[in-house]
Amino acid sequence: MPTPILSKRAAIYADVPDEKWNDWRWQLSHRLNTVDEIEKVIPLTDSERKALQTQGLFRVDVTPYYISLIDPQDPNDPVRKQIIPVSEELNAFTSMMEDSLAEDRHSPVPGLVHRYPDRVLMLVTTQCASYCRYCTRSRIVGDPGQTFNKQEFEMQIEYLKRTPQVRDVLLSGGDPLVLAPKVLEELLTRIREIPHIEIVRIGSRVPVFMPQRITQELCDMLAKFHPLWLNIHVNHPNEISQELADACDRMSRAGIPLGNQSVLLAGVNDCVHLQRELVQKLTRIRVRPYYLYQCDLVEGAGHFRTPVGKGVEIIEGLRGHTSGYAVPQFIVDGPGGGGKIPVMPNYLLSMSDHKIIVRNYEGYVTTYEEPTEYTSHDPKTCKFCQNKRPEPGQSGLTGLLDGEEMFIKPEGFDTLHDRGGIQHRLKDESKWKPRGIGAGDTE
Ligand SMILES: *Cc1c(COP(=O)(O)O)cnc(C)c1O
């Protein structure tokens, strides 16, 4: 396997002793955020200088390690675009929102988003090692005044304790791996004490911004809390340095399965060929591409947005063309709190009562003859069917298929279709009363 390039240090760091450079505390305390500091590393464009001098912009901070990955001569460098602000951040666009995923509305207690039946997202800090310009949580992230406190943490733990349907806790923020080591350990200990929490996950960009943080000591600590999974966030092959490869190797050896979440960003990674190289490089360092996200409708990120079709085109260029392990799912996170929705090319072209017509990645069109006789397993004796976990109000389309519900209706459906005739129909109500779920359902 070709070795990844050992990342260079920007010229101004040439004399920093290795012990300092490799110390994550040094990296954190030497982050750059002003025009003067950043200009010593890369010559700034007018647009960047203007943005850096604008009050009220989303926080800027970048580690010496990460800024060193930038080619200073290239104003379109893909790493640069992710962390150096430009004046386009000030532009508003149609449908722009502060909290496009409605996370605050879906929080039973502050900092805990419970959207899906069996898992929660727990925001444990608002701080990061560096700040992505397209951050979906820029409404809270980076603001030292918004940091979650001990009392809120206790409320989160209490909620988890009294909500046995939660079997998976995803720690995010902010970045959980910038927490003080003791705090992180305490947090994981408290979560692990709850018997119904089966898996813990961490979403972190620390390995990418500051691989020095992924020490053997940290890996040993994390390994005490297995099963623990971790997703990193790499968007471009230039971010895959020897340092990142080593950090991932340490985590993998500690038994932590690694995944990657990317965001599709205009001018950064909106290229099929680049994506193919990215996912192949990720699998070489034992990181499984998990999700590729459509950019959210978040303030300041308008200039990063691509058409959704770009993501479909990328998946078209990956599936079949490279290892299945290397193909992420392309996800549109539904504005208003719809959650993650996979979007992909169509492979099912047509069907009849006994045959389907499908196509492969090459455009080869074939048929699959379906069985004329199918004896299904027996749900009445199947112990999994008998013991399925209830998903109150959230069984969705699988609930319709299961026969649990007959329909899902949009809010206001009944009122709209009564068209004022409710009195007349109330008499017959008992005759036909199918079950269904929907916001407009008053039963
Ligand atoms: C992304 C997310 C999860 C985890 O989703 P998976 O598809 O299981 O990775 C859970 N809760 C919320 C609110 C999320 O945004």
Side-chain angles (χ1 to χ4, degrees):
M1 154 179 169
T3 12
I5 335 112
L6 239 177
S7 58
K8 52 187 187 333
R9 294 186 199 180
I12 58 157
Y13 301 118
D15 296 332
V16 175
D18 285 354
E19 319 87 81
K20 285 194 172 159
W21 182 261
N22 295 326
D23 177 355
W24 61 273
R25 291 186 169 89
W26 184 90
Q27 290 284 340
L28 262 190
S29 59
H30 287 79
R31 286 183 294 178
L32 317 174
N33 52 49
T34 63
V35 170
D36 288 350
E37 288 168 347
I38 295 173
E39 206 141 36
K40 289 195 181 106
V41 186
I42 47 174
L44 292 170
T45 65
D46 289 344
S47 166
E48 290 168 331
R49 194 171 299 113
K50 178 179 167 206
L52 283 164
Q53 286 164 342
T54 303
Q55 296 293 315
L57 209 71
F58 178 53
R59 176 164 169 187
V60 177
D61 244 327
V62 51
T63 56
Y65 160 82
Y66 193 70
I67 205 169
S68 295
L69 299 179
I70 296 175
D71 171 1
Q73 302 320 320
D74 181 5
N76 290 315
D77 182 279
V79 170
R80 175 182 191 135
K81 286 188 170 175
Q82 293 182 57
I83 40 136
I84 308 292
V86 288
S87 55
E88 284 89 334
E89 283 188 25
L90 304 165
N91 300 347
F93 58 89
T94 320
S95 298
M96 176 175 93
M97 286 176 272
E98 209 194 10
D99 178 14
S100 79
L101 309 180
E103 292 185 327
D104 297 342
R105 265 197 290 126
H106 289 189
S107 298
V109 298
L112 199 120
V113 191
H114 190 178
R115 174 166 299 145
Y116 300 102
D118 70 338
R119 55 206 187 282
V120 297
L121 170 68
M122 193 164 161
L123 307 176
V124 296
T125 172
T126 56
Q127 306 298 297
C128 288
S130 300
Y131 294 91
C132 310
R133 301 321 301 164
Y134 48 87
C135 178
T136 191
R137 278 187 212 113
S138 51
R139 69 185 186 281
I140 43 171
V141 163
D143 182 351
Q146 283 249 32
T147 278
F148 305 105
N149 55 40
K150 181 83 185 149
Q151 191 198 340
E152 283 179 0
F153 174 66
E154 293 302 332
M155 286 165 73
Q156 296 178 338
I157 293 288
E158 279 312 308
Y159 180 82
L160 293 178
K161 282 187 181 161
R162 66 170 189 264
T163 316
Q165 77 204 74
V166 177
R167 42 165 292 285
D168 172 0
V169 175
L170 166 51
L171 304 181
S172 183
D175 196 318
L177 296 189
V178 299
L179 287 173
K182 282 260 151 6
V183 175
L184 180 60
E185 186 164 2
E186 155 83 5
L187 204 142
L188 289 166
T189 308
R190 295 290 304 281
I191 291 170
R192 267 280 163 260
E193 279 166 10
I194 306 171
H196 57 264
I197 306 298
E198 296 171 7
I199 66 168
V200 178
R201 292 195 257 176
I202 295 177
S204 174
R205 211 178 185 192
V206 158
V208 175
F209 284 145
M210 195 171 64
Q212 296 80 6
R213 177 66 189 98
I214 313 302
T215 57
Q216 190 54 49
E217 196 185 356
L218 176 72
C219 295
D220 293 343
M221 188 272 275
L222 294 176
K224 291 195 287 184
F225 300 98
H226 277 313
L228 182 137
W229 297 59
L230 193 140
N231 266 328
I232 64 173
H233 173 176
V234 181
N235 288 324
H236 191 281
N238 287 5
E239 296 171 308
I240 305 183
S241 65
Q242 185 61 51
E243 289 89 333
L244 175 67
D246 292 345
C248 289
D249 185 56
R250 281 191 289 278
M251 291 190 283
S252 289
R253 284 172 196 273
I256 305 169
L258 298 176
N260 183 61
Q261 318 201 69
S262 293
V263 181
L264 181 52
L265 301 168
V268 173
N269 60 9
D270 53 342
C271 163
V272 177
H273 308 288
L274 178 157
Q275 288 283 343
R276 210 181 278 174
E277 178 160 333
L278 174 64
V279 298
Q280 290 170 349
K281 276 190 146 173
L282 285 166
T283 52
R284 291 207 309 240
I285 62 168
R286 287 186 283 165
V287 175
R288 163 96 155 91
Y290 182 58
Y291 287 154
L292 169 66
Y293 290 102
Q294 173 69 13
C295 191
D296 288 332
L297 297 165
V298 66
E299 244 178 277
H303 59 293
F304 283 118
R305 299 204 302 138
T306 65
V308 172
K310 182 49 80 173
V312 175
E313 180 192 342
I314 288 168
I315 302 304
E316 186 72 68
L318 295 178
R319 172 62 65 196
H321 296 271
T322 193
S323 323
Y325 269 129
V327 184
Q329 277 202 65
F330 176 52
I331 300 285
V332 177
D333 213 328
K340 298 181 178 71
I341 301 166
V343 176
M344 67 197 91
N346 293 323
Y347 294 97
L348 179 61
L349 301 183
S350 195
M351 62 202 298
S352 73
D353 62 353
H354 64 104
K355 194 184 273 187
I356 64 161
I357 303 181
V358 282
R359 60 99 174 176
N360 80 350
Y361 73 102
E362 295 165 288
Y364 171 79
V365 174
T366 186
T367 55
Y368 177 89
E369 187 76 39
E370 295 182 286
T372 48
E373 273 172 49
Y374 166 52
T375 315
S376 151
H377 89 297
D378 183 3
K380 291 199 182 62
T381 56
C382 168
K383 70 172 193 225
F384 297 98
C385 287
Q386 300 310 311
N387 296 325
K388 66 182 175 198
R389 282 173 192 263
E391 298 180 304
Q394 290 197 291
S395 61
L397 275 72
T398 197
L400 297 183
L401 294 173
D402 235 10
E404 251 172 53
E405 311 290 351
M406 187 181 253
F407 50 78
I408 298 174
K409 53 184 166 188
E411 190 171 355
F413 184 89
D414 288 338
T415 339
L416 177 72
H417 289 270
D418 280 336
R419 304 201 195 275
I422 186 92
Q423 306 299 22
H424 149 78
R425 222 162 312 146
L426 275 176
K427 284 177 271 166
D428 295 338
E429 205 192 304
S430 56
K431 280 189 201 159
W432 191 75
K433 209 176 173 187
R435 285 178 310 148
I437 43 177
D441 208 356
T442 47
E443 285 166 61

